[in-house]
Amino acid sequence: MKIANIVCSAGKTGFFFDDQKAIKAGAVADGAAYLGEPQTPGFSSVRQAGESISVMFILEDGQIAYGDCAAVQYSGAGGRDPLFLAGDFIPVIMKEIAPLYIGKEISTFREMASIADRRVNSATGKALHTAIRYGVTQACLDAVAKAGKTIMAKVIAKEYGLELADKPIPIFSQSGDDRYTNTDKMILKGSHVLPHGLFNNVPEKVGLDGEKLAEYVTWLKNRIIRLRPQAGYSPVMHLDVYGTLGIAFNNDLEKIADYLKVLEENAKPFSIRVEGPVDMGEGQAQIEALAALRKLVESKSVNVEIVADEWCNTYEDVAAFTDRKAGHMAQIKTPDLGGINNTIEAVLYCKKNGMGAYLGGTCNETNRSAEICAHIAMATSPDQILAKPGMGVDEGFMIVFNEMNRILALKAVV
């Protein structure tokens, strides 16, 4: 079966683009907006509406396979590609991608995905924006599944020699700034991992000595115990702090490790993970810091898992963090890896080499990219998958949960 045509449409994502540099520098929240001047190139304001592009492959039998191009909330930060605006990049897709696929016979996912993922922009000589490669390779996976009259998870399992999971992958829900009411929603719905928390500001959210975050962990423990929907419900606490512990403790890893012990004690009897405790400003320094911090917490018998995020962007980054044991778990931030073929490989590399695999992404994705990530999860069995898009909890949890259960129901009949 061939691809007869390609059509693109501009879309909105489930959240916003936020200028992380400006927020860390003290941009003040004003309702749903932020006051202050943007500091990252491409931003017209500190917070602006997230944008996406649907890439639709029209197959010669009339079926439509599609994926959504999307970029992370904090575009342009931590070594990532710049702001992704639909008006800027639809012409790039039609010029650089469409001619490669229109008229092409659908083959394997890995071969189809490699075409876009390895494409060099003829105007810049650089790889295409990660968001473009992300969405186009989703469409490739869907096209191969539709041509073979099967589901996307089975295509992945077959091509990579895997077995589909026999139960849903644990779901990690994120709260945004509404880390109280939204956490209640997570507990009531039985989220396996929670609440993310968006602790991206030291004085307002973490505390100059970490006291506000520590108080929140105590509140969270008590809330889980009070509201848990069934006996035995024991979610993992997973807190994303965006490097703010490094700011609060002047990147003194010894002090950070001791502080993590406080969080561990406040969280008991629940397990706890801390994502992005420091941000060292570049990749190699980040690897060294997280590797050293992991050694410190283990030597001090601190039972807190360190999760790598900032500067762990590409497949190569995930492998490098894994090889150096820079943390206990790596977030595989799906849009940052470009083609979803890289996401698949990254999950498998982590699992093979003793690193926790967090199939993540961003609140700033779409329902379509979230559904396709559910297929990746059911085929590769990471330790957890992010509920996305958005920060409202209910919608993202529903999308990922329902798609994984559809896969379970269909795997024996298609």
Side-chain angles (χ1 to χ4, degrees), residues 110-411:
R110 297 174 85 165
E111 190 270 334
M112 298 277 289
S114 69
I115 295 170
D117 198 48
R118 296 175 183 173
R119 175 69 176 179
V120 172
N121 190 320
S122 60
T124 65
K126 298 179 180 179
L128 293 172
H129 197 293
T130 50
I132 292 176
R133 292 182 277 138
Y134 187 46
V136 172
T137 54
Q138 293 169 36
C140 290
L141 177 61
D142 192 24
V144 174
K146 283 185 164 63
K149 295 181 172 56
T150 188
I151 57 175
M152 290 179 279
K154 280 199 169 182
V155 171
I156 297 168
K158 179 180 179 181
E159 293 195 21
Y160 289 85
L162 307 170
E163 293 290 332
L164 292 189
D166 57 8
K167 60 182 179 180
I169 304 303
I171 297 175
F172 173 31
S173 294
Q174 54 186 342
S175 66
D177 276 323
D178 191 359
R179 63 189 65 83
Y180 294 96
T181 301
N182 274 348
T183 296
D184 282 359
K185 296 179 184 180
M186 297 172 192
I187 297 168
L188 293 172
K189 293 206 168 182
S191 289
H192 308 86
V193 187
L194 72 170
H196 185 275
L198 200 66
F199 293 96
N200 58 2
N201 180 284
V202 173
E204 293 182 9
K205 302 177 183 180
V206 175
L208 297 179
D209 295 310
E211 70 282 356
K212 291 184 179 180
L213 178 59
E215 290 169 3
Y216 178 80
V217 170
T218 299
W219 174 87
L220 177 58
K221 170 189 67 179
N222 292 332
R223 200 65 177 165
I224 294 168
I225 292 170
R226 179 176 178 181
L227 296 182
R228 57 178 139 200
Q230 67 271 337
Y233 174 62
S234 184
V236 175
M237 295 184 188
H238 183 136
L239 308 170
D240 194 347
V241 299
Y242 296 92
T244 54
L245 299 188
I247 298 171
F249 297 102
N250 297 311
N251 286 332
D252 185 324
L253 299 182
E254 192 87 30
K255 290 182 178 178
I256 292 172
D258 290 340
Y259 174 72
L260 293 177
K261 183 65 175 179
V262 173
L263 297 186
E264 176 199 350
E265 292 298 324
N266 288 9
K268 287 181 177 178
F270 304 108
S271 300
I272 186 168
R273 298 182 184 128
V274 173
E275 182 174 344
V278 298
D279 184 347
M280 304 305 291
E282 64 91 21
Q284 191 56 42
Q286 187 77 353
I287 289 173
E288 298 295 335
L290 292 193
L293 186 57
R294 173 173 170 168
K295 287 182 179 178
L296 269 174
V297 299
E298 290 176 352
S299 69
K300 291 173 176 284
S301 299
V302 178
N303 293 315
V304 175
E305 289 187 323
I306 307 302
V307 183
D309 180 11
E310 273 75 24
W311 304 100
C312 187
N313 300 330
T314 66
Y315 168 81
E316 291 76 16
D317 293 337
V318 172
F321 276 76
T322 299
D323 291 345
R324 286 295 311 279
K325 298 187 184 302
H328 301 90
M329 173 178 279
Q331 180 181 178
I332 299 158
K333 187 161 277 193
T334 51
D336 283 339
L337 276 78
I340 58 171
N341 49 314
N342 301 316
T343 289
I344 294 165
E345 295 282 3
V347 173
L348 298 180
Y349 192 89
C350 287
K351 292 180 62 178
K352 181 180 178 181
N353 293 282
M355 186 72 142
Y358 159 26
L359 182 59
T362 173
C363 53
N364 196 47
E365 293 189 52
T366 71
N367 60 304
R368 182 56 173 172
S369 63
E371 289 167 352
I372 291 177
C373 284
H375 284 262
I376 295 172
M378 293 299 289
T380 61
S381 296
D383 293 282
Q384 63 188 45
I385 180 174
L386 182 65
K388 57 186 183 181
M391 289 290 196
V393 178
D394 302 301
E395 301 85 354
F397 187 91
M398 172 191 68
I399 289 167
V400 173
F401 180 89
N402 289 357
E403 189 68 12
M404 287 195 290
N405 277 284
R406 290 185 195 106
I407 294 164
L408 286 173
L410 289 170
K411 75 175 194 173

Side-chain angles (χ1 to χ4, degrees), residues 68-130:
D68 278 359
C69 305
V72 297
Q73 174 188 6
Y74 296 114
S75 289
R80 298 182 177 104
D81 276 355
L83 197 64
F84 184 73
L85 301 178
D88 293 339
F89 286 99
I90 287 177
V92 176
I93 293 171
M94 297 312 296
K95 178 183 177 183
E96 303 287 345
I97 291 293
L100 303 177
Y101 288 98
I102 294 174
K104 178 174 176 52
E105 191 77 34
I106 296 170
S107 56
T108 66
F109 163 69
R110 297 174 85 165
E111 190 270 334
M112 298 277 289
S114 69
I115 295 170
D117 198 48
R118 296 175 183 173
R119 175 69 176 179
V120 172
N121 190 320
S122 60
T124 65
K126 298 179 180 179
L128 293 172
H129 197 293
T130 50

